[in-house]
Amino acid sequence: MMFLIGQGERVVDLGPPEQHDCPRCGEATQFQKQLRYKYGSFDMLFGFAYDKRYQLACLQCNHGWVLDTKATERELGEVTIPFHLRRGFFILIVLAVLLAASVFAFKHANGLLT
């Protein structure tokens, strides 16, 4: 039996680009609102996201600003992290507890517990 354990980082573009002055480029350029997060996964089905942040990044030099998480989520309404990375690890824990409880109940019902 083989288990796949991994980690990674994703950047998700949110909405259309906006025009702002970039201090690094020295001119008015397009800035993209982005969600950047890191994630870990177990067997590619059960995962968890961490180090989530919203940012406004220049499309030319990638310089930008970190945005307030609560205000940005209030504005956007929905977090765009996939379900298996948002809640997958909790589902794995629930499945493990259910499996352990069913094994205990089976052994208890058949008198296998001593």
Side-chain angles (χ1 to χ4, degrees), residues 33-59:
K33 192 178 290 188
Q34 299 172 335
L35 167 62
R36 178 181 297 265
Y37 63 93
K38 295 179 183 177
Y39 65 91
S41 65
F42 177 75
D43 231 12
M44 295 181 7
L45 292 175
F46 308 106
F48 57 94
Y50 63 96
D51 198 21
K52 176 180 73 169
R53 70 175 188 201
Y54 293 92
Q55 60 190 20
L56 192 61
C58 175
L59 292 177

mmCIF file of all heavy atoms in Angstrom, residues 33-59:
data_model
loop_
_atom_site.group_PDB
_atom_site.id
_atom_site.type_symbol
_atom_site.label_atom_id
_atom_site.label_comp_id
_atom_site.label_asym_id
_atom_site.label_seq_id
_atom_site.Cartn_x
_atom_site.Cartn_y
_atom_site.Cartn_z
ATOM 1 N N LYS A 33 -5.681 41.322 -7.990
ATOM 2 C CA LYS A 33 -5.989 40.866 -6.640
ATOM 3 C C LYS A 33 -5.841 39.345 -6.648
ATOM 4 O O LYS A 33 -6.359 38.664 -7.525
ATOM 5 C CB LYS A 33 -7.416 41.257 -6.249
ATOM 6 C CG LYS A 33 -7.709 41.089 -4.784
ATOM 7 C CD LYS A 33 -9.111 41.542 -4.439
ATOM 8 C CE LYS A 33 -9.213 43.048 -4.566
ATOM 9 N NZ LYS A 33 -10.492 43.581 -4.074
ATOM 10 N N GLN A 34 -5.104 38.809 -5.657
ATOM 11 C CA GLN A 34 -4.792 37.383 -5.635
ATOM 12 C C GLN A 34 -4.986 36.791 -4.248
ATOM 13 O O GLN A 34 -4.849 37.479 -3.250
ATOM 14 C CB GLN A 34 -3.328 37.141 -6.041
ATOM 15 C CG GLN A 34 -2.983 37.597 -7.421
ATOM 16 C CD GLN A 34 -1.492 37.519 -7.700
ATOM 17 O OE1 GLN A 34 -0.668 37.562 -6.778
ATOM 18 N NE2 GLN A 34 -1.142 37.410 -8.964
ATOM 19 N N LEU A 35 -5.303 35.505 -4.239
ATOM 20 C CA LEU A 35 -5.304 34.716 -3.020
ATOM 21 C C LEU A 35 -4.110 33.775 -3.109
ATOM 22 O O LEU A 35 -3.984 33.009 -4.061
ATOM 23 C CB LEU A 35 -6.589 33.907 -2.885
ATOM 24 C CG LEU A 35 -6.610 32.807 -1.830
ATOM 25 C CD1 LEU A 35 -6.428 33.385 -0.433
ATOM 26 C CD2 LEU A 35 -7.887 32.013 -1.912
ATOM 27 N N ARG A 36 -3.211 33.850 -2.137
ATOM 28 C CA ARG A 36 -2.032 32.976 -2.095
ATOM 29 C C ARG A 36 -2.146 32.131 -0.828
ATOM 30 O O ARG A 36 -2.376 32.643 0.256
ATOM 31 C CB ARG A 36 -0.755 33.806 -2.055
ATOM 32 C CG ARG A 36 0.531 32.983 -1.966
ATOM 33 C CD ARG A 36 1.756 33.858 -1.902
ATOM 34 N NE ARG A 36 1.908 34.641 -3.111
ATOM 35 C CZ ARG A 36 2.674 34.282 -4.151
ATOM 36 N NH1 ARG A 36 3.337 33.166 -4.104
ATOM 37 N NH2 ARG A 36 2.751 35.056 -5.209
ATOM 38 N N TYR A 37 -2.017 30.817 -0.987
ATOM 39 C CA TYR A 37 -2.063 29.936 0.171
ATOM 40 C C TYR A 37 -1.157 28.738 -0.037
ATOM 41 O O TYR A 37 -0.837 28.366 -1.158
ATOM 42 C CB TYR A 37 -3.494 29.468 0.471
ATOM 43 C CG TYR A 37 -4.136 28.630 -0.615
ATOM 44 C CD1 TYR A 37 -4.061 27.240 -0.584
ATOM 45 C CD2 TYR A 37 -4.811 29.227 -1.661
ATOM 46 C CE1 TYR A 37 -4.647 26.471 -1.569
ATOM 47 C CE2 TYR A 37 -5.407 28.470 -2.641
ATOM 48 C CZ TYR A 37 -5.328 27.089 -2.587
ATOM 49 O OH TYR A 37 -5.915 26.331 -3.580
ATOM 50 N N LYS A 38 -0.736 28.165 1.072
ATOM 51 C CA LYS A 38 0.051 26.941 1.065
ATOM 52 C C LYS A 38 -0.866 25.820 1.527
ATOM 53 O O LYS A 38 -1.850 26.060 2.232
ATOM 54 C CB LYS A 38 1.255 27.066 1.989
ATOM 55 C CG LYS A 38 2.239 28.110 1.524
ATOM 56 C CD LYS A 38 3.403 28.238 2.475
ATOM 57 C CE LYS A 38 4.329 29.346 1.989
ATOM 58 N NZ LYS A 38 5.426 29.566 2.915
ATOM 59 N N TYR A 39 -0.542 24.601 1.120
ATOM 60 C CA TYR A 39 -1.384 23.482 1.496
ATOM 61 C C TYR A 39 -0.552 22.225 1.691
ATOM 62 O O TYR A 39 0.556 22.097 1.171
ATOM 63 C CB TYR A 39 -2.474 23.228 0.445
ATOM 64 C CG TYR A 39 -1.924 22.787 -0.899
ATOM 65 C CD1 TYR A 39 -1.758 21.444 -1.196
ATOM 66 C CD2 TYR A 39 -1.546 23.720 -1.851
ATOM 67 C CE1 TYR A 39 -1.240 21.038 -2.417
ATOM 68 C CE2 TYR A 39 -1.029 23.329 -3.070
ATOM 69 C CZ TYR A 39 -0.887 21.984 -3.347
ATOM 70 O OH TYR A 39 -0.368 21.596 -4.551
ATOM 71 N N GLY A 40 -1.091 21.321 2.461
ATOM 72 C CA GLY A 40 -0.534 19.994 2.637
ATOM 73 C C GLY A 40 -1.615 18.997 2.280
ATOM 74 O O GLY A 40 -2.811 19.276 2.430
ATOM 75 N N SER A 41 -1.221 17.835 1.787
ATOM 76 C CA SER A 41 -2.219 16.833 1.421
ATOM 77 C C SER A 41 -1.725 15.442 1.778
ATOM 78 O O SER A 41 -0.530 15.163 1.796
ATOM 79 C CB SER A 41 -2.559 16.920 -0.068
ATOM 80 O OG SER A 41 -1.432 16.582 -0.845
ATOM 81 N N PHE A 42 -2.685 14.587 2.049
ATOM 82 C CA PHE A 42 -2.435 13.190 2.343
ATOM 83 C C PHE A 42 -3.258 12.371 1.372
ATOM 84 O O PHE A 42 -4.480 12.485 1.338
ATOM 85 C CB PHE A 42 -2.828 12.868 3.793
ATOM 86 C CG PHE A 42 -2.673 11.418 4.148
ATOM 87 C CD1 PHE A 42 -1.416 10.886 4.367
ATOM 88 C CD2 PHE A 42 -3.774 10.595 4.255
ATOM 89 C CE1 PHE A 42 -1.268 9.554 4.697
ATOM 90 C CE2 PHE A 42 -3.634 9.274 4.582
ATOM 91 C CZ PHE A 42 -2.384 8.748 4.798
ATOM 92 N N ASP A 43 -2.606 11.593 0.546
ATOM 93 C CA ASP A 43 -3.244 10.745 -0.449
ATOM 94 C C ASP A 43 -4.062 11.543 -1.471
ATOM 95 O O ASP A 43 -5.011 11.036 -2.030
ATOM 96 C CB ASP A 43 -4.116 9.697 0.229
ATOM 97 C CG ASP A 43 -3.810 8.307 -0.273
ATOM 98 O OD1 ASP A 43 -2.792 8.143 -0.961
ATOM 99 O OD2 ASP A 43 -4.596 7.391 -0.001
ATOM 100 N N MET A 44 -3.717 12.783 -1.677
ATOM 101 C CA MET A 44 -4.313 13.688 -2.663
ATOM 102 C C MET A 44 -5.816 13.921 -2.473
ATOM 103 O O MET A 44 -6.453 14.582 -3.275
ATOM 104 C CB MET A 44 -4.031 13.206 -4.090
ATOM 105 C CG MET A 44 -2.565 13.251 -4.402
ATOM 106 S SD MET A 44 -1.958 12.771 -6.029
ATOM 107 C CE MET A 44 -3.339 12.508 -7.042
ATOM 108 N N LEU A 45 -6.417 13.367 -1.424
ATOM 109 C CA LEU A 45 -7.836 13.582 -1.157
ATOM 110 C C LEU A 45 -8.066 14.402 0.094
ATOM 111 O O LEU A 45 -9.007 15.177 0.175
ATOM 112 C CB LEU A 45 -8.560 12.237 -0.990
ATOM 113 C CG LEU A 45 -8.684 11.380 -2.228
ATOM 114 C CD1 LEU A 45 -9.303 10.039 -1.861
ATOM 115 C CD2 LEU A 45 -9.502 12.075 -3.282
ATOM 116 N N PHE A 46 -7.222 14.216 1.077
ATOM 117 C CA PHE A 46 -7.404 14.849 2.365
ATOM 118 C C PHE A 46 -6.309 15.887 2.556
ATOM 119 O O PHE A 46 -5.131 15.552 2.616
ATOM 120 C CB PHE A 46 -7.345 13.798 3.475
ATOM 121 C CG PHE A 46 -8.263 12.635 3.238
ATOM 122 C CD1 PHE A 46 -7.764 11.410 2.853
ATOM 123 C CD2 PHE A 46 -9.626 12.796 3.375
ATOM 124 C CE1 PHE A 46 -8.609 10.340 2.632
ATOM 125 C CE2 PHE A 46 -10.483 11.737 3.152
ATOM 126 C CZ PHE A 46 -9.971 10.504 2.779
ATOM 127 N N GLY A 47 -6.706 17.137 2.644
ATOM 128 C CA GLY A 47 -5.709 18.190 2.736
ATOM 129 C C GLY A 47 -6.093 19.271 3.715
ATOM 130 O O GLY A 47 -7.162 19.254 4.317
ATOM 131 N N PHE A 48 -5.198 20.218 3.842
ATOM 132 C CA PHE A 48 -5.434 21.373 4.695
ATOM 133 C C PHE A 48 -4.680 22.552 4.107
ATOM 134 O O PHE A 48 -3.612 22.401 3.525
ATOM 135 C CB PHE A 48 -4.993 21.106 6.145
ATOM 136 C CG PHE A 48 -3.554 20.696 6.273
ATOM 137 C CD1 PHE A 48 -2.585 21.641 6.532
ATOM 138 C CD2 PHE A 48 -3.185 19.379 6.118
ATOM 139 C CE1 PHE A 48 -1.251 21.274 6.640
ATOM 140 C CE2 PHE A 48 -1.862 18.991 6.220
ATOM 141 C CZ PHE A 48 -0.888 19.938 6.481
ATOM 142 N N ALA A 49 -5.284 23.723 4.215
ATOM 143 C CA ALA A 49 -4.670 24.956 3.722
ATOM 144 C C ALA A 49 -4.184 25.767 4.914
ATOM 145 O O ALA A 49 -4.801 25.782 5.974
ATOM 146 C CB ALA A 49 -5.673 25.757 2.910
ATOM 147 N N TYR A 50 -3.050 26.436 4.718
ATOM 148 C CA TYR A 50 -2.506 27.292 5.764
ATOM 149 C C TYR A 50 -1.779 28.461 5.116
ATOM 150 O O TYR A 50 -1.582 28.489 3.910
ATOM 151 C CB TYR A 50 -1.579 26.502 6.698
ATOM 152 C CG TYR A 50 -0.343 25.933 6.041
ATOM 153 C CD1 TYR A 50 0.863 26.612 6.088
ATOM 154 C CD2 TYR A 50 -0.379 24.721 5.368
ATOM 155 C CE1 TYR A 50 2.000 26.102 5.484
ATOM 156 C CE2 TYR A 50 0.750 24.187 4.763
ATOM 157 C CZ TYR A 50 1.931 24.885 4.822
ATOM 158 O OH TYR A 50 3.050 24.368 4.217
ATOM 159 N N ASP A 51 -1.419 29.426 5.914
ATOM 160 C CA ASP A 51 -0.698 30.622 5.458
ATOM 161 C C ASP A 51 -1.446 31.324 4.322
ATOM 162 O O ASP A 51 -0.876 31.693 3.316
ATOM 163 C CB ASP A 51 0.733 30.256 5.037
ATOM 164 C CG ASP A 51 1.644 31.469 4.982
ATOM 165 O OD1 ASP A 51 1.313 32.484 5.628
ATOM 166 O OD2 ASP A 51 2.670 31.414 4.286
ATOM 167 N N LYS A 52 -2.751 31.489 4.522
ATOM 168 C CA LYS A 52 -3.604 32.121 3.504
ATOM 169 C C LYS A 52 -3.476 33.632 3.604
ATOM 170 O O LYS A 52 -3.512 34.194 4.698
ATOM 171 C CB LYS A 52 -5.053 31.685 3.735
ATOM 172 C CG LYS A 52 -6.052 32.341 2.817
ATOM 173 C CD LYS A 52 -7.444 31.853 3.112
ATOM 174 C CE LYS A 52 -7.931 32.460 4.406
ATOM 175 N NZ LYS A 52 -9.360 32.246 4.647
ATOM 176 N N ARG A 53 -3.318 34.289 2.444
ATOM 177 C CA ARG A 53 -3.286 35.749 2.446
ATOM 178 C C ARG A 53 -3.795 36.267 1.106
ATOM 179 O O ARG A 53 -3.642 35.627 0.063
ATOM 180 C CB ARG A 53 -1.898 36.273 2.740
ATOM 181 C CG ARG A 53 -0.926 36.042 1.618
ATOM 182 C CD ARG A 53 0.405 36.677 1.905
ATOM 183 N NE ARG A 53 1.235 36.592 0.717
ATOM 184 C CZ ARG A 53 2.526 36.674 0.713
ATOM 185 N NH1 ARG A 53 3.167 36.871 1.828
ATOM 186 N NH2 ARG A 53 3.201 36.583 -0.398
ATOM 187 N N TYR A 54 -4.380 37.443 1.173
ATOM 188 C CA TYR A 54 -4.830 38.139 -0.031
ATOM 189 C C TYR A 54 -3.829 39.236 -0.327
ATOM 190 O O TYR A 54 -3.317 39.882 0.578
ATOM 191 C CB TYR A 54 -6.223 38.735 0.188
ATOM 192 C CG TYR A 54 -7.285 37.681 0.346
ATOM 193 C CD1 TYR A 54 -7.644 37.197 1.594
ATOM 194 C CD2 TYR A 54 -7.930 37.154 -0.772
ATOM 195 C CE1 TYR A 54 -8.617 36.224 1.740
ATOM 196 C CE2 TYR A 54 -8.906 36.178 -0.635
ATOM 197 C CZ TYR A 54 -9.240 35.725 0.628
ATOM 198 O OH TYR A 54 -10.200 34.752 0.765
ATOM 199 N N GLN A 55 -3.567 39.445 -1.615
ATOM 200 C CA GLN A 55 -2.582 40.452 -1.996
ATOM 201 C C GLN A 55 -3.002 41.124 -3.294
ATOM 202 O O GLN A 55 -3.793 40.593 -4.066
ATOM 203 C CB GLN A 55 -1.202 39.803 -2.160
ATOM 204 C CG GLN A 55 -1.153 38.725 -3.213
ATOM 205 C CD GLN A 55 0.153 37.951 -3.170
ATOM 206 O OE1 GLN A 55 0.857 37.947 -2.164
ATOM 207 N NE2 GLN A 55 0.481 37.295 -4.263
ATOM 208 N N LEU A 56 -2.465 42.296 -3.500
ATOM 209 C CA LEU A 56 -2.643 43.048 -4.738
ATOM 210 C C LEU A 56 -1.255 43.136 -5.362
ATOM 211 O O LEU A 56 -0.364 43.771 -4.807
ATOM 212 C CB LEU A 56 -3.204 44.441 -4.430
ATOM 213 C CG LEU A 56 -3.709 45.260 -5.593
ATOM 214 C CD1 LEU A 56 -4.861 44.559 -6.289
ATOM 215 C CD2 LEU A 56 -4.144 46.631 -5.125
ATOM 216 N N ALA A 57 -1.054 42.448 -6.498
ATOM 217 C CA ALA A 57 0.289 42.319 -7.070
ATOM 218 C C ALA A 57 0.360 42.927 -8.465
ATOM 219 O O ALA A 57 -0.551 42.765 -9.284
ATOM 220 C CB ALA A 57 0.684 40.845 -7.146
ATOM 221 N N CYS A 58 1.456 43.620 -8.740
ATOM 222 C CA CYS A 58 1.727 44.190 -10.057
ATOM 223 C C CYS A 58 1.935 43.044 -11.049
ATOM 224 O O CYS A 58 2.665 42.095 -10.774
ATOM 225 C CB CYS A 58 2.971 45.074 -10.001
ATOM 226 S SG CYS A 58 3.491 45.722 -11.598
ATOM 227 N N LEU A 59 1.316 43.141 -12.209
ATOM 228 C CA LEU A 59 1.438 42.076 -13.205
ATOM 229 C C LEU A 59 2.780 42.098 -13.930
ATOM 230 O O LEU A 59 3.152 41.120 -14.579
ATOM 231 C CB LEU A 59 0.289 42.153 -14.210
ATOM 232 C CG LEU A 59 -1.093 41.834 -13.639
ATOM 233 C CD1 LEU A 59 -2.169 42.006 -14.695
ATOM 234 C CD2 LEU A 59 -1.135 40.452 -13.048
#
